[in-house]
Amino acid sequence: MVCARSPRSMAGGESNMGEIETEPIRPKVTDAKGILKQNREFLDFFWDIAKPEQEIRLQAIENLVQYLKNSEKEDELRYTLKRLVEGLAATRETARPGFSLALAQVLQVFEDVPLQSVLDQIKEKHDPQKVKKKLVRNAAFGNFFGVLSLSQSGRLTKEPRVVLESVQLLQSLAQFREHLKDLPRKTMVDILSETPEAVFEEVLLGALKSDLSSAFSTPEQLHLLLVAIQRFPGVLKPKKLKNLLGASSVVTADNIPKLVEVLKTAAKSVKKDRTMPPVGLDLLKVALKENSFDLFWKEAVINGLLKDQLGPSSYMCYRLLGSALPLLSFSQLKCVLGGEVMKHYGEHVVTAQLPDRFKFAPEMESYVDSFLEGCPDPEKQFAVMVAFSSLTNQGYPVVPSYWKVVRHLQLPVLLRYVDWLKDMFSNPQLDTCMDFSTKRQQQNQEKGDRTQHCVFRLRKWIVPRLISIVDNPLVKKEEDLVMDIARFIFFHAFFKVVKSNPVIPETESSLAVPLDEQTRSVIANSFFGLLQHLNHLPLMGDSPEVAALNERHVQGVTADGTLWIFCIVQYASVLLSQSKHVQAARPFSKEQREAWDRMLQSVEALHKKAKKSQNMETAAFQQLFLLVGIHLFKTPEESVELINDLQNCLENAQEKKSKKKKATASSEESEEPQWVEVMVEILLTLLSQPSRLMRQVSKTVFGRMCPHVTQRALQIILDVLDPEKDEEESGVVVTDQKDSRKQKKEKKPADNEEEEGEGSDSSEEDSDSSDDEEGGGGEEDEDDEEKEKVNENFRLELMKVLQGKNALDMEGAESDEEELDDDTMMELDQNISALFSEQKKRIQAKKDEKENMRKEKVLVRDFKIKVLDLIEVFLSKQAESPLVFGIIEPLLGIIEGSMGSESSQQEQDFLRKTADIFRNQLCKTKRYCRNVSDRKDELHELMERLLTRAQKQADSSVSLYYFSAALYLVRVLKGNASDTPAATPAGKSKKQKKVEAETSPTDQSMCVGSLDKERVAALFQAALTDFMTRRKSALSGAMFIDLFIRFPILCVQLLESAVRYITEGVRQHQQGQACALVQKALQMREVRQSMTDTEWTELIGRAVGQVTECLKTVTGFKVKVDQEKVIQCLELTRFLIRTAQQQKLAVSVTELGPVLESLSQLEGFRKSGHVDDTYWNVMKLLGFSKPKKEKVKKPAAEEQQTAPKKKKGFLPETKKRKNRKKVLVEEGKPSEPGQGADWEGKQGKNNKNKNKRKQAEAGMGERNWPAKKGKFQSGNKPKNKKGKQQRGGVE
């Protein structure tokens, strides 16, 4: 029994020996087998196996097996088996699998250990008939995990007798189903799957006869039979099955009702797991094997499970459908995919779109995905894709248009599937689709042409499905397929078939149902989405050249380098030339056709030019011409003007490049806009349209023309972002109307605007709520005033109507007049009704106007966010251009105007993007303008304005942006020493080079460049004075610390002022910040090298004096600001003292001692540990030592009362002994046994739960608790207690 004790208590035997010796009543522990002297490492394996962490368990099992291999001791192996068998019934659930796996590994490695002995040991140790009632559950788990370990060892099938006894043991565990669920049956199935046929026939068949005969009772028994039929077909022949089941096969017409009930039970059992029960899949396989699949599917699934109309049964039907796909033949596949289960699944997909509904579609997608991935038969692949694409709800397929499973289609199947989609678009065969309508759709269905509606929904799905094939990078496709899809969508978006022509394949299939304008509009929008995908499409192919180009992220071109959009423009040109066979849906006018021809000529000229010499400017013009040209089919009026402007820009750019300038050209250029300015306006027009393609192309083109951007062109962009000009003008129209090329336009009615986002269709409630968000409190007050005025006017008009018919008594008039007649009342009702109708119209007109303003504001803000892209591109491409300086103030104006106001999410995004561009693309960039000598006065004035604005801000975060801009200008003006290299001799010695390398950083940081040091120092001096002397300054100490670190040349100029403000700061915060600034400045090497020894010594002395005077003003530590100030002063003091001592400077610090000593006597000094630690760090430098706290020894009686609890060694929490109750005895009076027992009973009720105490005592029987209890009650209570207290005190 000693071996059964915890290994950690055994390993800690030496530490507990003292306690054992002081307890003579406890029996002496014997170690006959020497287990207590085992290696601590060996005993720890069993503790690690029981831990909940899987990695620790696995590592412990591996280490245990390796240890037993190396040890080769029989006693350790026997002890291991005993411990592992005992652990199978561990109380902790996480420990049981660990011991089971460990036992399996040990039995697998040590094959000389007989399984029969281990099984007998398991039966004996975990016999449910012999254990206590509360341990029956653990015993059942012990038996189960024991058989599981035998099965996992891989040796079970080699010993038939053990197999039989294991199966019988598992059968006996059926009575504990409430604890074990179906785990024993699953284990029996696993054993059967590994048992040889001979062993099954000779040994197991007889034992399992009762389970196999009652197979239709439970899912577990049926699963056992199905596994046996598949595993041992030679044993369970039809004749044998007839003896067991009464039928020669499982799936028969008589057995169908029983099978349905079993499947329903199995479906309910996996309701929470949402998985396919194994019995269902095996039954499906057996039905296929018995050639009774049709009977099973029709009677058991469709007429059985599906008609149950319960969730678990329906989901099991869907899982059977998905699992059957790889098992069925082609004819069976078509039968299943066209049946009621498929239709029922489609209804589920449509109804499950509501929130909080379980959605089976992702699981079905995984079934189809795995089938297509592993199916080599192209016919089956095509049949499955067509079947799911033909499952429609009023014409619209239930599968998404972007379906990931398409990536597994073989290329011939993909081509065939695309042809099928195109054919369904041209000739919608709704009778071949499995169409359905939900109950609600049937109730709400309006009378009309339902076929037209279904065709529209089907075509609306087919076009995105074709585009998804192009967009999905995982789909294996060729360029011909991509071009075929693009041509098909473009043709049906903008052209009609007049006559078939073999040159144009799209004309060979005429439309059975003509396209209406709504469908063409949807297809046209989808086509421009396809253009966006083509613009980012990587090269296709497996050649090394294609792989190399893809590594360089070449996109939007074919393998020969032709733009995809150029291929489409060429196809459009062919269509326009075949007027006898095709006709444009919106025919071009003469002007539009001329613009198209000019566009083609320009593109062709640019294409030839690009072949000779690659030029960024040429590529930009070519891409713009193609994009605007293809938009002629969507917005012809705008595109004509844009093509004309592009043509002029191209001509001007070519003239400028050819350098054919005359004297009169300069005057003309001053009056007429340059080509770059016109190009910028064109790009702004493209950005105003709701198209991602336009936005992307505009960014690309602007990036290519950045080197040619002028000040006027950049100002056009900045004017769009200027909030002041936005307020002055009536608004900015950013829709795709005719005059949208100009930035500032007149307002238009909302009825004529093209909606750009989904938010345009929002309801009145949404618009009202958004108005409240964006408008703020001022607009609400104005609305209230307007309502009051409207209500007053309406009341007066109503009074006039009533008084006109004498329906309202006047003041002072007699009320005894006759009532109005019927005609007068009717006329009065009509007048009142007309009045209310007009009032309602006025209210609605105001709401519409308010909604139009809100929509316009959203469009304008969205347009400005897009325009910021151009600024970002310019800063990244032309960071060294002097035009960058003109962007600083406009960006700061946007930040300042948007920071303080309450704004919508869109406004916050605009502000966030502006701040990100300013901070990362401007201030933190490593590239900047190098040559600023000709504009240094301008930059100094700009710096002065920025610092002035920084001081006037109310928000410190806005002030930080202005201050950062000023630091950026300092860096630009100062430049680097490497910017203006001087001539140096060619030959230099290594010593000279080393000296230059050491001094170059300092020289570089102290160089002036174009910086007016005195002027800039005066500007920052004024800013520092503002920070130190104004109570509510927006500046902060971190700004000046950043200034000191980055520009030591200015740090030297401001250092004296910083030292002065240590005592002259307006508040404690400023004084503390002054200390931080001085400390940071004195730590810089450049500052020290800029002074002589005398100047340095005097500066240190003045700083010491200032800090001393500052510390004298401290009167307490009541608030946090006082503590922060003292900490900064002490930090500076420590640096000054250390510097003076290390450099041996003639600086007196004698006055600091008394000041610091008096500081520690102030109230609240010891509240902050940081203050105390910093204080004594300084005092140590002055020769003072921190006094040690004397420990006051407590009286003996108090020490006994507060004695710490004795530690229990290395035992885990679950193995620790429970604290025994201690009887308090009055000093000098021996306690009587009766009184002690009575006190113990009362104290037990107050402090501990009796039930827990009894359980603990019962569980610790092996630790001699009864003997301890007898000693506790023997009458030597004071002595025993005193001994325990002494031991606790020693520990």
Side-chain angles (χ1 to χ4, degrees), residues 1118-1133:
K1118 297 181 180 180
V1119 292
K1120 188 176 180 180
V1121 178
D1122 296 332
Q1123 298 177 6
E1124 292 176 352
K1125 170 190 170 181
V1126 172
I1127 290 174
Q1128 296 292 349
C1129 290
L1130 293 176
E1131 291 285 353
L1132 176 59
T1133 303

Side-chain angles (χ1 to χ4, degrees), residues 502-555:
V503 180
I504 306 174
E506 288 74 21
T507 61
E508 295 182 356
S509 59
S510 58
L511 298 177
V513 180
L515 293 174
D516 56 358
E517 290 300 324
Q518 184 181 6
T519 308
R520 287 192 185 276
S521 176
V522 172
I523 300 174
N525 292 332
S526 300
F527 168 73
F528 286 102
L530 174 62
L531 279 183
Q532 169 70 10
H533 298 313
L534 292 176
N535 193 41
H536 296 281
L537 191 67
L539 294 176
M540 287 169 284
D542 300 328
S543 62
E545 294 79 7
V546 171
L549 291 175
N550 284 330
E551 289 180 359
R552 293 164 48 193
H553 301 286
V554 177
Q555 297 176 341

Side-chain angles (χ1 to χ4, degrees), residues 194-213:
E194 298 175 358
T195 303
E197 186 172 345
V199 176
F200 173 76
E201 185 176 7
E202 297 174 1
V203 179
L204 293 183
L205 184 59
L208 296 175
K209 186 175 182 180
S210 60
D211 288 326
L212 297 178
S213 299

Side-chain angles (χ1 to χ4, degrees), residues 270-276 315 319 358-360 363:
V270 296
K271 181 179 179 180
K272 293 183 179 179
D273 299 333
R274 295 177 178 177
T275 56
M276 176 71 176
Y315 299 144
R319 293 187 177 102
F358 171 66
K359 298 175 177 57
F360 191 82
E363 190 173 344

Side-chain angles (χ1 to χ4, degrees), residues 369-465:
D369 188 80
S370 61
F371 165 74
L372 293 176
E373 184 178 9
C375 179
D377 189 355
E379 292 295 332
K380 289 185 178 181
Q381 278 194 343
F382 181 72
V384 170
M385 289 301 301
V386 170
F388 277 95
S389 301
S390 302
L391 182 59
T392 59
N393 171 235
Q394 292 189 350
Y396 197 88
V398 298
V399 294
S401 58
Y402 189 90
W403 212 19
K404 297 180 181 179
V405 302
V406 183
R407 68 182 187 271
H408 297 304
L409 293 181
Q410 303 174 23
L411 186 58
V413 180
L414 180 63
L415 296 174
R416 187 177 173 188
Y417 180 60
V418 169
D419 292 338
W420 179 84
L421 290 173
K422 295 194 297 183
D423 184 62
M424 287 293 289
F425 182 92
S426 303
N427 302 302
Q429 302 173 9
L430 298 179
D431 54 340
T432 61
C433 296
M434 189 182 300
D435 196 76
F436 64 91
S437 299
T438 62
K439 294 181 180 180
R440 181 171 296 181
Q441 288 174 342
Q442 293 174 359
Q443 294 173 359
N444 300 334
Q445 191 169 357
E446 299 178 358
K447 295 182 180 180
D449 190 0
R450 184 175 180 273
T451 304
Q452 186 72 21
H453 177 66
C454 293
V455 169
F456 168 72
R457 286 168 59 86
L458 179 61
R459 287 171 170 171
K460 186 180 178 181
W461 178 87
I462 289 176
V463 173
R465 166 54 64 91

